[in-house]
Amino acid sequence: METKKDSTEEKILEAAKNVFVAKGMEGARMQEIADEAGINKALLHYYFRTKERLFEAIFSGIIKLAFPKIMTIVQSEASIVSKIEQIVDAYIDLLIKHPFIPGFVLKELNRDPSGLFKLVVKFGLNPQSVFDQIEQAMDRGEIRRMKPQHLLSNIVSMCVFPFAARPILSFILFKDDPSALEAFYNERATVIKEFVINAIVIKK
Amino acid sequence: METKKDSTEEKILEAAKNVFVAKGMEGARMQEIADEAGINKALLHYYFRTKERLFEAIFSGIIKLAFPKIMTIVQSEASIVSKIEQIVDAYIDLLIKHPFIPGFVLKELNRDPSGLFKLVVKFGLNPQSVFDQIEQAMDRGEIRRMKPQHLLSNIVSMCVFPFAARPILSFILFKDDPSALEAFYNERATVIKEFVINAIVIKK
DNA sequence: ATATGATTTAACCACTTAGTTAAACCAAAC
DNA sequence: GTTTGGTTTAACTAAGTGGTTAAATCATAT
């Protein structure tokens, strides 16, 4: 009996994820996906008629991983500082589990940004409400004044970029000790939270 | 008379840069490069025998833009805070002039990290000396204590990521006002410097 | 046993790609 | 005016690519 995990469809999705992540939509070959899944090309097309459809399935699956958790934090009742801490924790936690996401998403959104449009609509994302929350906290004197776009960019950059640039970090910062890279990623949440709080919280 | 700028070779390099940056090594087509350069495919191969060689010329040219300036700042005699400010200024200045670099470099280094190895050797890059400088400043109590790798990651992330994720910023943060994106990039250096200094400088 | 659906095999198509080649063309230098 | 080197044209190759097809196989449920 086959569990859902090793059904052919699951094997294909897993293989396709690996190949698409490693090679991108353009670089991925259907033959390679079939090989990685341990099946043949005919059966691969039998399940997912075209490369486009298969890619779409993978891509939307990856995106769905990231959005919902962030949204619930944003819409909660916590203080702005607490929300920032929660978002950093959630981001780093997700990225440690799925470190390939940033590189993959960046590559594909640069190739075809139209996918982003659909997603923003689909998830009903509204950045203005986030900007408002941040500006209200500044009005109350909780955090230093700066454009919300800059604050968000700073936080997301520090969370995401070290994963997008993993090969570079691995080589420049940790070329002698690869296991130190894992330790580094595990420290990120704590470091970023402290860094941001020192940067923006006004001490009384 | 032809200046060096509109010689055929220069036209090819310019066209190839545009196409490689937009489509990546895999996605770029020799025919498209030839069209963009206003010549034909035969002549393109006449100048650069293979796609590989042409790509190599473009890639190393782009990298050479970034490294040297950073190196001279690192090796100067300024204080650590001053060096950080100079590096942020230099990075943002470069990226405003060549905003495509981060996306391109990330994509190609994820595809084939071996190029990085050659570059590090070629430029004689030694991160340990940077780590030492940072740790000595911490010993002197100038800045808060943290692992140098984290500090460097934070700074570089905030400089580079918003350019790598340009389509995302453009859509999420500035979808109603595209010209605001340019203004945003022009503010980055000031914002990042202030942010970092607030985060790490110990006030007496 | 038979019917069904998953899977394999292997050939095939239409198309695109990088790269090559041979011939002609053209402008400027000699 | 002939040579030369950059340039075009147009055809070609060799090797992939995504995708299709038809037939055979295999396991399982009925």
Side-chain angles (χ1 to χ4, degrees), chain B residues 29-131:
Chain B
R29 304 290 155 219
M30 295 297 271
Q31 185 60 60
E32 190 180 352
I33 294 173
D35 292 345
E36 178 116 352
I39 58 165
N40 49 30
K41 207 178 47 155
L43 191 61
L44 179 58
H45 280 95
Y46 174 81
Y47 275 85
F48 297 87
R49 288 260 293 277
T50 70
K51 192 183 182 182
E52 294 271 338
R53 290 197 198 185
L54 180 54
F55 179 80
E56 184 63 28
I58 302 296
F59 188 76
S60 70
I62 284 175
I63 296 294
K64 259 179 243 159
L65 235 48
F67 270 73
K69 200 163 197 176
I70 306 288
M71 295 278 282
T72 65
I73 296 172
V74 167
Q75 290 162 357
S76 77
E77 297 292 327
S79 72
I80 196 77
V81 172
S82 166
K83 279 187 187 177
I84 289 174
E85 290 178 325
Q86 288 180 65
I87 285 177
V88 171
D89 280 330
Y91 253 116
I92 300 295
D93 184 64
L94 172 77
L95 294 179
I96 284 177
K97 284 180 192 145
H98 308 283
F100 59 84
I101 293 182
F104 181 70
V105 171
L106 278 185
K107 187 194 297 183
E108 297 309 328
L109 284 190
N110 264 311
R111 190 179 59 87
D112 174 22
S114 74
L116 189 58
F117 180 77
K118 298 168 199 157
L119 288 172
V120 171
V121 175
K122 182 174 181 182
F123 285 95
L125 191 53
N126 179 18
Q128 190 57 49
S129 99
V130 181
F131 299 161

Side-chain angles (χ1 to χ4, degrees), chain A residues 8 40 43 46-47:
Chain A
T8 300
N40 50 29
L43 190 61
Y46 175 80
Y47 273 85

